[in-house]
Amino acid sequence: MTTCPVRVLRSDDVDAVARLWRESALSIGVEADIVSEVAEYRERLEAEWKRTWRVYVACDASGIAGFMAFEPEASWLRQLFVAPARKGAGIGSSLLDVVKREMPEGFWLRTSVANGAARRFYEKQGLRNTGEFPHAHLPVTVVRYQWSRERP
């Protein structure tokens, strides 16, 4: 596994993150008709980043290899995506480590029931499946995961 430095999103990263977000969403089997165009991902990223999201990127020699966004006030990890060609290189773990550090009291996230790779990753990282629910806006079922630091 390669170490991939994680840093705060900069405005000149937004286009690359929007492309990675769409590419990754398509790679995990999300139906193409519910995946937005790159411009829509860019608009959403910029709007949410200005409003409530804290966004970090993981970089390597080829550029941005992954990103994550979270809302500390809601203890919600909103997005975590890794470039398809970089999966399995420890990038997701590096990003998740930042979330655990930034929200030490715990957080929750959701992912598609059909995304078996993400589900295995979150469970391996110590997150607990707390149930399945219909997505509020999309025609998919999601799994909710919870992470909390173990207390002695």
Side-chain angles (χ1 to χ4, degrees):
M1 275 192 216
T2 308
T3 302
C4 202
V6 176
R7 64 169 171 76
V8 173
L9 178 78
R10 298 185 308 233
S11 52
D12 62 338
D13 296 327
V14 172
D15 287 332
V17 169
R19 285 190 303 273
L20 182 148
W21 193 356
R22 183 173 195 278
E23 178 184 323
S24 187
L26 288 169
S27 78
I28 60 175
V30 175
E31 297 294 326
D33 60 336
I34 63 173
V35 172
S36 300
E37 294 301 318
V38 172
E40 293 173 76
Y41 282 110
R42 185 184 203 293
E43 289 171 18
R44 180 166 180 217
L45 178 61
E46 287 184 316
E48 297 289 359
W49 183 34
K50 289 176 184 170
R51 193 174 66 82
T52 60
W53 285 7
R54 289 192 195 166
V55 185
Y56 288 77
V57 296
C59 301
D60 64 11
S62 65
I64 294 175
F67 87 100
M68 61 89 173
F70 63 95
E71 285 185 42
E73 297 79 17
S75 301
W76 187 358
L77 175 55
R78 297 295 305 256
Q79 310 295 334
L80 194 154
F81 285 94
V82 173
R86 297 302 318 276
K87 290 184 179 177
I91 296 163
S93 297
S94 295
L95 290 165
L96 200 57
D97 287 346
V98 172
V99 178
K100 290 176 178 178
R101 186 180 69 235
E102 293 287 321
M103 294 191 290
E105 297 304 313
F107 61 89
W108 66 280
L109 63 87
R110 64 184 182 206
T111 192
S112 170
V113 166
N115 191 348
R119 295 180 66 185
R120 286 185 298 278
F121 169 75
Y122 292 129
E123 290 167 10
K124 182 179 176 185
Q125 296 294 321
L127 281 78
R128 186 173 45 90
N129 177 333
T130 61
E132 297 181 8
F133 308 92
H135 191 283
H137 308 291
L138 300 173
V140 297
T141 301
V142 295
V143 179
R144 182 179 164 130
Y145 282 94
Q146 182 76 37
W147 179 83
S148 59
R149 185 175 307 280
E150 295 297 315
R151 309 233 188 264

